[in-house]
Amino acid sequence: MNNIATEVISAWPRSDGRKGIRNTVLVAYLVECAHHVARQIVRPFEGDDVHVIGFPGCFPNDYAQKMMENLCTHPNVGAVLLVSLGCENFRKKQLQALIETTGRPVELLTIQKSGGTNTSVESGRQWVQNALLSLSELPKVKMHPSELVIGTICGGSDATSGITGNPAAGLAFDKLIEIGATCIFEETGELIGCEHVMAERAITPELANNIVKTVQKAETYYAAMGYGSFSQGNAEGGLSTIEEKSLGAYAKSGSSQISGIIKPCIQPPKGGLYLLDVVPDGAPKFGFPNINDNAEIIELISCGAHAVIFVTGRGSVVGSAISPVLKICANANTYKNMPDDMDVNAGRILSENTPLDEVGNEIYDKIINLCQGQRTASEKLGHQEFVLTYKTLDPIGPNCLA
Amino acid sequence: MKHTDTTSINLLILNPADNVAILKRAVKEGSSNMIQDEQFIFSKSLDMGHKIAIRPIKIGETILKYGASIGFAAQNIATGEHVHIHNLTSRYTIVENMEATQK
C-alpha cells in the first residue's frame, strides 16, 4: 500500500536525518524571570515563525532539561535564542552545546550580563532578525509522507468527541500508518477501562502486558490526585461505564496494531502506532501528570511530532509552539459558534449524516496540506501556547519497544 | 473502528458487531424510529449520544460499542430500549452514585 501516498512535501533537512515542515526560530527562556524579555524579543516578529518556549522553574529537573533539549532540536526548529536571567539553575551550557552540535544557529543571551531588560531585548531582536535571514536561505528537500510523525490528543471533550471526532481521527491515523508514517496517541489516564482491549492490539505479548501495567500506573496516580475518571456529566451525556468513556478516547488511535510504548522525549524507532505514557513514575511528587492540554501537546512534540491532531467537542482554541495543531471539531453546534478556530467539522457526521470515512480522509488531506505549508486555523490566529512543568520519569521498561 | 449507518438516519452504529446504536439527535417520548426494518416508539425522551439496543440483549450478555465490550446487560433488554446505567453494568469498576442521573 506504500505507493498510495504520492503527495510531495518539501521540508528542511536537519543534521540528525529528520526533516522539518516548519523552520521556526525559538526564543527560549530558562527561568520565568527571563520570560518577559523573551516575550518582548519576539514582539516585532508577529506573523513570522518565531515562537517563545521556556521553563519557569529555578530548580533544575532532568525531565524539563531533556524536554528543552528535545524541543530545541526538533525538526521544525531552525535556530534557537536562549534567554537566561543568569542566576537560575538550568543547565544552559549543556543545552547550548547540544544545539550547537546539530548545526543550528544558537545564542545564549544572559540578561544580567547584557545590561538588563532593554539592551537584552534589543540584542535579542537583532539576533532573531539575522537568524530569520539565514534560515530563509536554507535549501529544502523532498519529504515523503511516510517520514511524518503525527500526534493526537482530545480536549474540551463532550458527548460527540467519542462518536465523531475521535473515530474520524482514528481513520486518519490508520491511513497514515498504512503509508508508513509514525502516529502517537496518549493520555493513559483517559484509557482506564479499555487497557485489555488495547492490549489485544499489541504486536507482542510482552508489550500487551506493559500496556496493561501502564494504564494501571495511571489509575493509581490519578487516584492519588483524588481524581476520578467517570463523572456525572459523562452519564448525562449518555456514557454508562468507564470502559465506554475510555473507548471513546481510545477511538482516536484507530485500529492499527500498537508497535510500542514511549515516554516524553523518546522518538519512536520506526513507523507505526505508539502509546505515549505521560504519567510520572514513582510516588506522586509534583502534582498532576499534565496540568492542561498544552502540556500534553508539547510532550507529543518532544517525541518528534511534526503536527498534532486535536479533537474537541466543547471548543478548545489552543495551538502550540513548534508544531502546527489541526483542530477537529466533533460538535456541529460548536463548529457553528467558533468556525475560525476549527479546521475540520466532524460534527457533520451527526448533523448531516456525513460518512465517517469522508471526515477521516479530510483530516488526512489537511495533515498533508499543513505539511506542504498551509497554515492551520490556530496558526493563522497566532496560537503558540506552551507549558512545561516538573516531572519525574524513569527510562522506558524492557519490551516497550520492539 | 468502522462506522456504518443503519436504515435509520437517527442512529449511528459504530461497528458492525455492536448491539447498540447511538442517537444522532435528541428524540421525544412517543416519537418513532425504524430499527432493523421495524418501527419502535421511544418510551421516554432521550438526548443525543444516548444508546438504544438494536437487537434483543439477554441478561449477562456483553454490550458492544466500537466493537468492544462496554459492560454487560444487568437485565434483559428489548430492541429499541434505552441502554444506560440502569441496565448496563461495568465489568471494570463499580460506578457509584450514578443513580441520580437515571432518567
Side-chain angles (χ1 to χ4, degrees):
Chain A
M1 295 293 277
N2 278 356
N3 54 3
I4 61 165
T6 51
E7 302 94 345
V8 175
I9 299 163
S10 83
W12 288 273
R14 307 299 181 198
S15 59
D16 61 2
R18 293 187 290 169
K19 294 167 190 168
I21 59 156
R22 296 288 184 270
N23 203 18
T24 297
V25 176
L26 286 185
V27 177
Y29 60 92
L30 304 180
V31 63
E32 181 59 23
C33 321
H35 192 166
H36 175 70
V37 168
R39 209 163 29 213
Q40 288 297 108
I41 289 170
V42 307
R43 271 181 71 174
F45 304 104
E46 204 186 329
D48 292 315
D49 281 331
V50 181
H51 299 175
V52 173
I53 70 164
F55 179 58
C58 189
F59 294 100
N61 175 255
D62 288 342
Y63 156 81
Q65 179 82 27
K66 191 83 183 70
M67 282 290 288
M68 289 294 281
E69 290 175 6
N70 272 43
L71 296 172
C72 289
T73 56
H74 186 281
N76 288 352
V77 173
V80 187
L81 174 63
L82 302 172
V83 186
S84 160
L85 174 63
C87 50
E88 74 274 11
N89 290 295
F90 195 92
R91 297 191 291 275
K92 57 191 178 185
K93 294 282 181 195
Q94 181 184 321
L95 176 59
Q96 183 185 19
L98 179 87
I99 301 166
E100 260 162 17
T101 62
T102 69
R104 287 175 174 82
V106 57
E107 174 76 5
L108 173 61
L109 178 65
T110 303
I111 299 167
Q112 288 166 350
K113 288 182 186 166
S114 306
T117 299
N118 275 332
T119 46
S120 298
V121 169
E122 214 171 285
S123 60
R125 284 178 182 173
Q126 194 57 54
W127 192 88
V128 170
Q129 186 69 54
N130 292 338
L132 279 172
L133 270 175
S134 74
L135 288 187
S136 68
E137 288 160 7
L138 279 184
K140 290 168 96 173
V141 295
K142 275 186 189 171
M143 180 183 193
H144 189 265
S146 64
E147 296 172 73
L148 288 172
V149 181
I150 307 294
T152 186
I153 172 184
C154 52
S157 298
D158 69 8
T160 63
S161 301
I163 52 183
T164 64
N166 287 347
L171 286 180
F173 255 29
D174 288 345
K175 203 168 165 178
L176 283 162
I177 288 163
E178 213 167 80
I179 60 155
T182 304
C183 292
I184 310 170
F185 71 110
E186 50 86 68
E187 207 17 339
T188 42
E190 287 163 5
L191 299 172
I192 297 165
C194 68
E195 61 268 37
H196 296 287
V197 179
M198 204 165 22
E200 284 170 18
R201 274 166 55 195
I203 50 164
T204 64
E206 294 81 12
L207 179 65
N209 286 337
N210 281 324
I211 287 173
V212 173
K213 276 189 211 156
T214 300
V215 176
Q216 282 166 352
K217 180 181 88 170
E219 193 180 16
T220 309
Y221 197 97
Y222 277 98
M225 295 286 107
Y227 187 67
S229 289
F230 193 88
S231 70
Q232 187 118 333
N234 294 142
E236 282 161 12
L239 297 176
S240 311
T241 61
I242 185 167
E243 48 266 56
E244 182 182 9
K245 180 190 177 182
S246 297
L247 283 166
Y250 176 60
K252 66 186 183 294
S253 69
S255 55
S256 308
Q257 279 201 307
I258 300 172
S259 295
I261 303 171
I262 55 171
K263 288 188 178 183
C265 302
I266 293 175
Q267 289 168 35
K270 54 179 191 240
L273 178 65
Y274 294 83
L275 171 64
L276 172 59
D277 174 16
V278 303
V279 177
D281 292 298
K285 204 169 178 183
F286 299 116
F288 285 103
N290 280 321
I291 58 170
N292 56 35
D293 294 330
N294 277 102
E296 290 178 10
I297 291 171
I298 207 66
E299 287 186 332
L300 288 163
I301 295 170
S302 79
C303 299
H306 292 97
V308 174
I309 299 171
F310 188 138
V311 179
T312 183
R314 298 185 65 180
S316 170
V317 300
V318 304
S320 179
I322 300 174
S323 295
V325 173
L326 188 78
K327 291 294 228 338
I328 316 304
C329 190
N331 186 317
N333 288 330
T334 306
Y335 184 84
K336 214 189 286 171
N337 288 340
M338 42 201 301
D340 296 346
D341 285 284
M342 303 298 163
D343 294 286
V344 175
N345 176 12
R348 64 188 207 276
I349 292 166
L350 296 179
S351 64
E352 297 168 27
N353 302 309
T354 306
L356 186 80
D357 289 14
E358 192 179 314
V359 178
N361 287 336
E362 185 186 338
I363 296 171
Y364 174 88
D365 290 343
K366 290 209 165 149
I367 284 286
I368 300 297
N369 291 343
L370 79 84
C371 293
Q372 290 168 329
Q374 223 171 75
R375 298 276 150 169
T376 65
S378 52
E379 279 185 300
K380 283 182 200 156
L381 293 165
H383 283 284
Q384 293 159 11
E385 286 84 351
F386 182 88
V387 174
L388 179 59
T389 57
Y390 287 87
K391 195 176 268 197
T392 311
L393 288 178
D394 292 342
I396 51 168
N399 304 313
C400 283
L401 290 174
Chain B
M1 307 218 175
K2 295 281 178 228
H3 231 234
T4 38
D5 278 341
T6 56
T7 49
S8 161
I9 58 157
N10 280 324
L11 296 177
L12 182 66
I13 299 175
L14 290 161
N15 187 289
D18 291 356
N19 47 18
V20 293
I22 294 141
L23 287 176
K24 285 185 177 180
R25 43 191 71 84
V27 294
K28 287 219 165 71
E29 180 184 339
S31 63
S32 64
N33 200 81
M34 295 294 287
I35 302 171
Q36 317 289 32
D37 300 329
E38 276 188 67
Q39 195 160 7
F40 288 86
I41 311 278
F42 290 107
S43 59
K44 56 183 168 183
S45 296
L46 293 170
D47 281 338
M48 183 272 291
H50 281 250
K51 296 176 294 298
I52 296 294
I54 52 171
R55 57 176 182 76
I57 303 169
K58 286 205 180 82
I59 184 166
E61 201 179 322
T62 295
I63 303 209
L64 293 165
K65 179 181 172 186
Y66 303 101
S69 168
I70 58 166
F72 63 92
Q75 58 195 61
N76 290 324
I77 304 171
T79 306
E81 208 178 308
H82 184 209
V83 177
H84 201 20
I85 48 182
H86 61 289
N87 56 12
L88 163 55
T89 305
S90 173
R91 278 209 174 87
Y92 196 76
T93 44
I94 296 157
V95 181
E96 290 170 356
N97 302 323
M98 284 293 144
E99 287 77 10
T101 64
Q102 286 190 21
K103 287 177 185 169

